[in-house]
Amino acid sequence: MSQTALVLIEYQNDFLSEGGALHEGVRAELARTNMLAHTEALVRAARKKGVRIVWVPIEFAPGYPELSTAPYGILAGVKATNAFRIGSWGAQIVQSLKPQEGDVVIAGKRGLCGFASTNLDFVLRQNGITRIALGGLLTDCCVESTMRSAYERGYDVVTLADCTATLSQAQHEAAIDFTYPMFSHPMTSQAFLDTLP
């Protein structure tokens, strides 16, 4: 098995599907970047090369008891729109990327970083993973937070520039052009595949 894992953040209906609680906010950027189609192709190809597929959804209990009574910033929007409720359609991973046997779905993400409240680090190390490639939503939020933490934990980090999206082109490009190179190797999904044996 490969020492590389594909770590995919918040590929959930509330972001990616028509009618999702936060879909309108990212609709234009999803269309511009075509990140979903890029990710679908990448997952198919990566599986064939023995890359472990790791899903990191975010979920909250009804009433959002995990959050403060007055959340602010990005989490205020999650609570206000009733997004990512455990057991809801919106919290499910989008149908076109439904996890398959052998994939790992990480439970417990309640904030921005994929490592902070989960066993992601444990699972990666148990599987001998030393290199991770990150995709998902939002480019400058959860993907960026997870990238920074992975870098500090000593992983060889790739960020997939065409498998991420956020609220605007300016935000997306600023993250990829200025922040991502400080903590990762930004590249397209095809360039990443080309690095695999």
Side-chain angles (χ1 to χ4, degrees), residues 1 4-9 11 16 35-56 93-104 133-136 160 162-163 188-190 192-193 196:
M1 197 68 170
T4 299
L6 195 52
V7 177
L8 300 171
I9 299 167
Y11 280 83
L16 292 172
M35 65 88 74
L36 185 55
H38 288 302
T39 305
E40 291 165 356
L42 172 60
V43 168
R44 286 192 298 271
R47 275 200 183 103
K48 288 178 184 170
K49 288 180 175 276
V51 171
R52 175 80 68 186
I53 312 297
V54 180
W55 303 96
V56 189
I93 293 170
V94 69
Q95 184 63 34
S96 65
L97 287 170
K98 190 174 180 181
Q100 296 185 10
E101 187 176 347
D103 291 0
V104 177
L134 295 169
L160 300 162
D162 60 343
C163 295
T188 65
S189 52
Q190 186 57 58
F192 165 68
L193 285 170
L196 298 174

Side-chain angles (χ1 to χ4, degrees), residues 7-20:
V7 177
L8 300 171
I9 299 167
E10 295 179 18
Y11 280 83
Q12 292 160 271
N13 287 320
D14 272 337
F15 268 142
L16 292 172
S17 298
E18 193 71 40

Side-chain angles (χ1 to χ4, degrees), residues 146-165:
T146 305
M147 168 195 69
R148 289 170 181 257
S149 289
Y151 179 83
E152 294 206 66
R153 283 170 169 80
Y155 291 97
D156 181 17
V157 185
V158 170
T159 38
L160 300 162
D162 60 343
C163 295
T164 58

Side-chain angles (χ1 to χ4, degrees), residues 176-190:
I176 288 169
D177 292 346
F178 299 109
T179 307
Y180 279 22
M182 296 177 73
F183 309 101
S184 72
H185 307 285
M187 60 184 77
T188 65
S189 52
Q190 186 57 58

Side-chain angles (χ1 to χ4, degrees), residues 115-133:
F115 290 95
S117 58
T118 74
N119 66 347
L120 176 59
D121 190 55
F122 175 82
V123 168
L124 294 174
R125 294 189 192 283
Q126 284 291 303
N127 282 277
I129 301 301
T130 58
R131 183 181 190 225
I132 65 170

